[in-house]
Amino acid sequence: MPMPGYVFRDGQPIPDSDPKSQPDGGQLGTSSTDMTRVSTSTSSAMNTPTSSAADGDHPTDSHALANADHDHKGAAQVNEHETVKNLGWNHHPNDVPDLVGGLDNEELWTLIRRFNKQMYHVKATTAPLLGGLDLNIADEDEFSPDKLRANVERLYMTVIIGLMGFGKHIARLRSWREPRRTGAFAAVYAVAWIFNLLVPTFLTTLIVLIVYPPSRPVLFPPAPLALVDSNTGGVQSPKAGVLGSHDSATGAPEKHKGEAVEQEASNFVSGIGSIALSSATGKHEQGDPDSDPLNKSVPDPTRLAMAGADAKASAQGGAPNEHHDKTKQPMEDAMWGKMRPVMHIIGDVSDGWERFANALSPTPPFPKEKPRLTLAAVLAPALAVSLITTSAMFMKMAQLGVGVGFFSDPLIWRGLDWLNKNYPDWQKLLQIRNSILKGVPTNAQLTITLLRIGEANKAPLPPPPSSDQPPPNKPKSLNGDDIALDASHEEIQAAIHEDPTEKEAAEVAAATTVGAEEKPKHRHGARILGFFKGTTATGVETKLGVDKVRAKVGSTTAKNHLGVLPTEKERVPTGPVDFKGRYKGHKGWVNISTAAQVPCVSWSKAASDGTGGAVEDSIDRHEKHVAFKVPIQDIRELKKVGGLGWKAKIVVGWATGKTVADGLEIVDKEGNTWKLTAIQDRDELFNRLIAIDGQKWESW
């Protein structure tokens, strides 16, 4: 495996134009001239963000930042090669250089890891972007329980964790365990109250916190979230027993930054009842294969709740629900119909929170001062008005506003009608993302900008390191003297470390209980469970074995199932140029070529990066066996699809413990679709394809 900095030769000739060719025509192994539908455009190369803007629109702020010359540069911001540079794909995190200037690699990988879970389906759009950034959520975004789960997890990691931190800061202030800080707050409040300046004081403090970031740790000294008791404001032992992370509610250990919060978010969703039962099982029918007999033969676990309720009603003498209860189906339809707007609301709340967070603490390469000054400028008029407005005047104006709103309904409707006719987009212009937070990204928009920076410099960002092994059960480094809590260094160290005496006593008690009461029952249950698990695993292997036979006789569905459960021998390091995957069931490699004038994505039976032989020979063999080649600028839609249906995934994961290799659908501007299956690094391939060229994406 090459060391970081190794340069891949990914050059391929520009495919010839053949508008009459079909993506599925011909046989595998024919030349790319006969197999590929391409554009005759002579657009500029990857570094030009407008290369795919067929409507001639200006590039987004994201594309402009990706191609700008940054003051502080990381390894991914230095363009020294004409071919793709490997900055540490499939290497140990310690061997990866600093990728983006001003951003730690762990924070970068946290953004990418969460981006991978959030993005399912993107489409290119030519609609004007009022906020200057693409990758906004489409108004017609399709609903699925798995996407609802992802949105609720994001809500937990952003809003709920943020509110927890705010609540614990309030608890610390009210507890008087930090007497100097609480006393200073109390004195300022008393003076402001005496001189009737509470509102101006509050607004002034808010403006200082926004404009001058060093004031934040002074007024609100940080402390690990799990270490602060929300009731007393003092020190507590983390719920995980050890302080293995600083930004999680439980303090659970983590191998890489952000993983503990992500696991908490997953468990948070799994604990929600009713609708979240579907989310916890990962139901996403839009990404299921078109035809999956194994998926159809598996019972729907989301029906268990309804089935249990029906069984209880029958046991109590109630009438059967299925045929006699005419309210059941309409109520179910109504509930599921309301889930789409609920999902949108949750996503909008999370987006707003992320935008405010990125405005207050911008991440390179986005500007630092402009968002903060904009927010302060919004509060400055309110501060000026509060200085000349008495409480009596405020009450009078509030009463006037109530009266105008109540009695001016005809005028209000006429005014709205005039706005709708003359300024059709006025409501969108008033949204915070298009006004005071214009140009401020969500985390997803920030991530795609960072991905575009790597692609603009032909240095694709390495994927987040995997966490196959459990994190060490030890506390994270922490200096108790630097924490402004009413506790000594020894007390803090005792709180963040797991008490060995209590741990040993708990283990002994648990072992005694199991040995005395539950051991025979546990053995009997384990044998039954193991029997069913083994039987299910055998059935899965048999079904996939039958698919191999059916694929040889031409079954498209069976071909799409080949390779979805790769063995350890089949798993090889891939990327950043070639990705192992299948097309029409055939083994091969997906190649991304950016050295030519028009960057292309293609599939061939042979890799082009030297895997399995010399680089020169591999390039020739790759070109010889190309099945299709698509200019990336022609891609109009990318959709992640499952290797198996969502129900089959649950059964396969439980019975075999293996990871299912998923697929990707590529749609070009002519409407042609290429479906790739059994891609080991599907998320990494998806991220490269959406970041290379100048498309303006919309999330579906």
Side-chain angles (χ1 to χ4, degrees):
M1 177 57 61
M3 294 299 292
Y6 180 84
V7 177
F8 288 94
R9 289 185 57 186
D10 65 340
Q12 297 182 16
I14 304 173
D16 297 329
S17 177
D18 186 9
K20 295 182 180 180
S21 64
Q22 298 296 327
D24 293 332
Q27 300 294 326
L28 294 177
T30 57
S31 66
S32 60
T33 304
D34 299 329
M35 292 296 300
T36 310
R37 176 187 300 275
V38 300
S39 171
T40 58
S41 169
T42 56
S43 304
S44 57
M46 175 181 61
N47 288 348
T48 303
T50 57
S51 59
S52 66
D55 57 349
D57 288 347
H58 295 291
T60 66
D61 293 348
S62 175
H63 291 96
L65 286 170
N67 291 275
D69 186 16
H70 308 116
D71 295 332
H72 303 286
K73 296 183 179 181
Q77 295 166 288
V78 179
N79 191 353
E80 298 177 343
H81 302 276
E82 291 298 325
T83 51
V84 173
K85 180 171 56 176
N86 183 356
L87 294 180
W89 286 59
N90 305 302
H91 288 80
H92 193 277
N94 295 337
D95 298 331
V96 179
D98 292 336
L99 298 170
V100 179
L103 183 65
D104 184 72
N105 284 353
E106 287 285 346
E107 295 179 2
L108 171 64
W109 285 328
T110 298
L111 289 169
I112 297 177
R113 192 168 56 243
R114 296 176 183 179
F115 180 85
N116 292 341
K117 296 187 68 175
Q118 183 181 348
M119 290 295 115
Y120 291 90
H121 185 190
V122 296
K123 294 182 181 181
T125 178
T126 57
L129 302 175
L130 301 179
L133 295 170
D134 64 335
L135 207 62
N136 294 301
I137 299 176
D139 294 334
E140 301 82 12
D141 181 25
E142 55 196 13
F143 169 80
S144 76
D146 198 32
K147 292 177 73 172
L148 176 62
R149 178 188 182 95
N151 276 282
V152 176
E153 287 184 0
R154 192 159 66 100
L155 182 75
Y156 178 88
M157 292 184 289
T158 55
V159 180
I160 296 178
I161 286 292
L163 293 177
M164 282 184 184
F166 176 76
K168 293 196 174 186
H169 271 294
I170 298 301
R172 289 168 59 186
L173 278 173
R174 295 187 62 206
S175 68
W176 282 90
R177 292 178 178 271
E178 303 167 51
R180 291 184 179 180
R181 187 162 71 102
T182 305
F185 271 86
V188 171
Y189 184 91
V191 173
W193 176 76
I194 292 173
F195 292 98
N196 199 23
L197 293 173
L198 281 177
V199 174
T201 302
F202 172 77
L203 292 176
T204 301
T205 304
L206 200 57
I207 291 175
V208 170
L209 290 172
I210 292 173
V211 176
Y212 189 60
S215 65
R216 301 170 193 171
V218 174
L219 295 178
F220 298 97
L225 194 62
L227 196 60
V228 179
D229 192 318
S230 59
N231 295 320
T232 65
V235 176
Q236 68 172 4
S237 180
K239 294 179 181 179
V242 62
L243 187 65
S245 56
H246 292 176
D247 56 352
S248 64
T250 61
E254 60 185 6
K255 284 187 65 177
H256 304 288
K257 185 175 182 179
E259 289 183 340
V261 178
E262 293 164 12
Q263 190 60 43
E264 284 181 0
S266 178
N267 293 328
F268 173 78
V269 177
S270 299
I272 300 176
S274 187
I275 298 298
L277 176 63
S278 300
S279 302
T281 56
K283 183 177 181 181
H284 182 56
E285 292 176 332
Q286 290 88 344
D288 287 356
D290 296 333
S291 178
D292 187 355
L294 178 61
N295 190 58
K296 292 180 178 179
S297 63
V298 177
D300 187 345
T302 65
R303 307 296 302 176
L304 295 178
M306 284 294 181
D310 291 346
K312 181 179 179 181
S314 299
Q316 295 176 347
N321 284 332
E322 195 66 30
H323 301 290
H324 297 276
D325 187 357
K326 301 301 182 182
T327 66
K328 182 178 181 181
Q329 192 61 40
M331 287 302 297
E332 286 188 18
D333 294 341
M335 289 296 296
W336 285 106
K338 296 298 182 183
M339 284 300 102
R340 178 174 163 181
V342 168
M343 184 183 72
H344 275 258
I345 292 172
I346 294 174
D348 289 342
V349 171
S350 300
D351 285 347
W353 190 280
E354 290 175 356
R355 285 191 175 95
F356 274 107
N358 289 327
L360 296 174
S361 301
T363 301
F366 284 88
K368 293 184 178 181
E369 301 299 333
K370 182 180 177 180
R372 293 200 291 255
L373 293 177
T374 301
L375 291 176
V378 172
L379 294 176
L383 174 60
V385 171
S386 67
L387 291 172
I388 60 175
T389 304
T390 64
S391 57
M393 293 173 60
F394 177 79
M395 290 301 298
K396 280 289 186 180
M397 288 188 293
Q399 293 167 1
L400 176 63
V402 171
V404 170
F406 190 85
F407 295 106
S408 301
D409 189 67
L411 293 176
I412 293 174
W413 281 108
R414 287 192 179 96
L416 293 176
D417 184 63
W418 182 84
L419 285 173
N420 291 331
K421 289 180 179 179
N422 294 276
Y423 303 97
D425 295 330
W426 70 272
Q427 291 177 321
K428 291 185 177 180
L429 290 173
L430 292 180
Q431 295 176 357
I432 59 172
R433 69 179 183 180
N434 300 324
S435 53
I436 61 174
L437 294 182
K438 183 177 181 180
V440 178
T442 63
N443 287 347
Q445 293 170 330
L446 169 61
T447 305
I448 194 174
T449 302
L450 297 173
L451 292 171
R452 283 168 173 161
I453 288 176
E455 298 296 342
N457 295 287
K458 299 197 175 183
L461 299 181
S466 60
S467 296
D468 298 332
Q469 301 298 323
N473 191 28
K474 61 181 182 180
K476 213 166 187 179
S477 59
L478 179 70
N479 187 358
D481 296 332
D482 295 337
I483 300 179
L485 294 174
D486 183 31
S488 64
H489 177 76
E490 291 74 16
E491 292 174 333
I492 293 177
Q493 292 299 317
I496 65 177
H497 287 80
E498 191 172 13
D499 190 341
T501 305
E502 294 182 1
K503 179 181 179 181
E504 183 178 355
E507 291 177 351
V508 172
T512 304
T513 303
V514 171
E517 300 179 5
E518 299 182 1
K519 192 172 182 180
K521 182 178 179 181
H522 177 71
R523 282 183 176 179
H524 184 65
R527 288 174 181 173
I528 296 176
L529 186 63
F531 170 78
F532 283 108
K533 188 173 183 179
T535 304
T536 304
T538 303
V540 169
E541 297 293 343
T542 302
K543 177 65 179 66
L544 295 178
V546 172
D547 281 340
K548 293 181 180 179
V549 179
R550 294 176 60 231
K552 291 181 179 180
V553 297
S555 172
T556 303
T557 302
K559 289 179 180 179
N560 291 335
H561 287 168
L562 297 180
V564 295
L565 291 180
T567 62
E568 291 299 326
K569 293 182 179 180
E570 293 175 330
R571 291 189 172 275
V572 296
T574 63
V577 173
D578 288 88
F579 300 85
K580 193 173 183 180
R582 296 188 182 229
Y583 178 62
K584 296 183 179 180
H586 297 274
K587 294 182 180 180
W589 296 82
V590 185
N591 172 267
I592 297 178
S593 172
T594 58
Q597 186 180 13
V598 179
C600 297
V601 57
S602 61
W603 183 92
S604 174
K605 289 185 177 180
S608 67
D609 64 351
T611 303
V615 177
E616 291 77 7
D617 296 339
S618 295
I619 293 177
D620 294 338
R621 286 189 290 114
H622 178 87
E623 285 299 308
K624 182 179 179 181
H625 297 286
V626 166
F628 72 82
K629 185 181 293 182
V630 186
I632 294 177
Q633 66 181 14
D634 288 351
I635 296 177
R636 289 297 174 264
E637 186 175 347
L638 291 168
K639 183 179 182 180
K640 296 179 180 179
V641 294
L644 296 172
W646 69 277
K647 292 180 288 184
K649 274 188 177 181
I650 296 173
V651 174
V652 169
W654 171 73
T656 67
K658 295 182 179 179
T659 301
V660 177
D662 293 320
L664 182 68
E665 285 186 359
I666 302 173
V667 182
D668 71 357
K669 64 182 181 181
E670 301 294 336
N672 300 312
T673 301
W674 290 269
K675 185 174 182 179
L676 302 167
T677 58
I679 307 173
Q680 293 184 16
D681 297 312
R682 191 266 310 272
D683 289 337
E684 287 68 37
L685 173 61
F686 179 89
N687 292 347
R688 286 213 63 194
L689 290 178
I690 65 172
I692 286 180
D693 213 85
Q695 293 97 328
K696 297 184 296 184
W697 298 110
E698 197 172 41
S699 175
W700 284 71

